[in-house]
Amino acid sequence: VSLERLRKQIDFIVEIDKIKDIFRRTILISKSRNENDAEHSWHLGIMAILLSEYSEKKVNLIKVVKMVLIHDIVEIDAGDTYCYDEKGYEDKEERECKAAERIFNLLPEDQATELRELWDEFEKMETPEARFASALDRLQPLLHNYHTEGQTWKENDITRAMVLKRNEPVKLGSSVLWEYVNEIIEDSVRKGFLKS
Amino acid sequence: VSLERLRKQIDFIVEIDKIKDIFRRTILISKSRNENDAEHSWHLGIMAILLSEYSEKKVNLIKVVKMVLIHDIVEIDAGDTYCYDEKGYEDKEERECKAAERIFNLLPEDQATELRELWDEFEKMETPEARFASALDRLQPLLHNYHTEGQTWKENDITRAMVLKRNEPVKLGSSVLWEYVNEIIEDSVRKGFLKS
């Protein structure tokens, strides 16, 4: 066993602890505070395991799980960009690519390449795994908004049309989950959590 | 598609959000605060993906990842028991079994059974997957202690002998990681992070 290899792997494992300090707009269902990227990614991992039966196309589960567990690591350098922040989105890709370059390359070359490719694949949303992973990445904050009476929506003046547009990738990943998403959105409007 | 099935799955997904509010003794490497169970589980998921080559016996990776992502869900009801708290350990098993009964049974029966069996298997530490998952569950807080100059060890008056005993399961899961664990422990004593 190469000790150098293990050291690189541990360096990466230590580095990514930082995503526990990257906070998102989403608040916890308990409303105690904002959610961070590590918790969000953990939640998506469990969702992938439980909901993969609804993927539009058959997926390789471990690939989906890897994708969702690593998809936000680039935010260590690039920060979280709020999904309705148009200005922030202008240079999001550039910031995140630079981050991917630095962070994944802490790993031994074979694993750096694997994780970088998984992240690129996720971002492109073309393969069944990437589409299903993206569907989960949309559905999870929607559940949080729904179960906190739309707190983040209200604070940021979000409308039904904006949420529908943001959640469109769910349709590609899973028509069952897309139906469910629509149900939640309509119920949110009905209950006053979301502006129509 | 049965809507009842999806509703049960979503109920479970919403329920487990609570582990984001269950805090451990471990502190983040940034020292900003204590770590919670969701973050810890996420970290183990990535470690499983990156370090499975060191498992003593060949493992089914998705099984290990499932185990580590769900292993602390019972703490929603049972709370976190500090690993050096002998009194807390007296009724830990009973509290956690009761929790497993309630929480996993929110899921449709087939998934409730699968997750319950994975959790039981993890707890028994007999199969290659359970042993490797347990090794990671020991190694991760050790890394945190090492990279925070032993802050939690110092606060709780922990000695090298206690840490060695606590980390013994690593030996069963991976002799490479066990060697690395010993290296970290000795270096921690040398640097004054841990009492000899």
Side-chain angles (χ1 to χ4, degrees), chain A:
Chain A
V1 176
S2 142
L3 198 60
E4 203 203 324
R5 182 171 170 85
L6 178 57
R7 283 200 195 288
K8 283 182 178 177
Q9 291 161 325
I10 298 285
D11 282 349
F12 178 84
I13 288 163
V14 168
E15 174 69 18
I16 63 173
D17 202 57
K18 291 177 183 163
I19 86 166
K20 299 172 188 171
D21 282 319
I22 313 258
F23 286 88
R24 297 161 48 81
R25 288 291 174 103
T26 313
I27 59 165
L28 299 189
I29 295 175
S30 71
K31 295 188 187 169
S32 61
R33 58 172 171 81
N34 286 53
E35 185 189 45
N36 66 58
D37 277 349
E39 299 166 323
H40 163 67
S41 303
W42 165 80
H43 219 160
L44 297 189
I46 303 257
M47 288 171 72
I49 290 163
L50 294 174
L51 305 178
S52 69
E53 63 191 273
Y54 304 120
S55 174
E56 209 55 25
K57 298 211 169 138
K58 203 171 152 40
V59 285
N60 177 348
L61 180 56
I62 187 69
K63 195 171 159 186
V64 177
V65 173
K66 284 180 182 181
M67 269 182 192
V68 297
L69 292 183
I70 66 149
H71 80 292
D72 271 344
I73 284 176
V74 293
E75 297 191 358
I76 290 172
D77 290 350
D80 181 56
T81 309
Y82 185 43
C83 61
Y84 299 107
D85 170 10
E86 284 180 31
K87 205 168 154 44
Y89 261 72
E90 276 172 21
D91 63 344
K92 182 174 181 278
E93 197 180 325
E94 195 192 319
R95 281 181 288 127
E96 293 192 345
C97 280
K98 236 167 122 177
E101 204 59 42
R102 180 187 77 79
I103 303 166
F104 292 132
N105 280 319
L106 294 172
L107 284 167
E109 206 183 325
D110 59 319
Q111 293 188 324
T113 304
E114 187 198 353
L115 264 53
R116 175 62 194 257
E117 284 176 359
L118 278 169
W119 181 72
D120 285 340
E121 185 177 331
F122 172 80
E123 288 290 307
K124 282 196 195 109
M125 278 200 262
E126 286 170 1
T127 63
E129 283 81 8
R131 286 182 172 181
F132 185 61
S134 293
L136 301 176
D137 191 33
R138 299 299 192 278
L139 174 59
Q140 191 256 0
L142 189 70
L143 288 175
H144 279 245
N145 263 305
Y146 184 63
H147 288 277
T148 54
E149 296 91 44
Q151 190 169 312
T152 311
W153 286 332
K154 288 175 187 165
E155 283 168 8
N156 295 282
D157 228 25
I158 305 301
T159 65
R160 175 211 261 139
M162 288 161 87
V163 176
L164 274 171
K165 191 166 162 34
R166 170 71 188 161
N167 282 280
E168 250 176 19
V170 176
K171 202 189 317 191
L172 294 174
S174 165
S175 48
V176 174
L177 295 182
W178 175 240
E179 206 181 302
Y180 182 69
V181 160
N182 276 279
E183 217 181 89
I184 286 186
I185 293 174
E186 291 319 306
D187 200 44
S188 295
V189 173
R190 211 175 299 126
K191 288 176 169 151
F193 304 164
L194 180 63
K195 289 202 296 191
S196 73

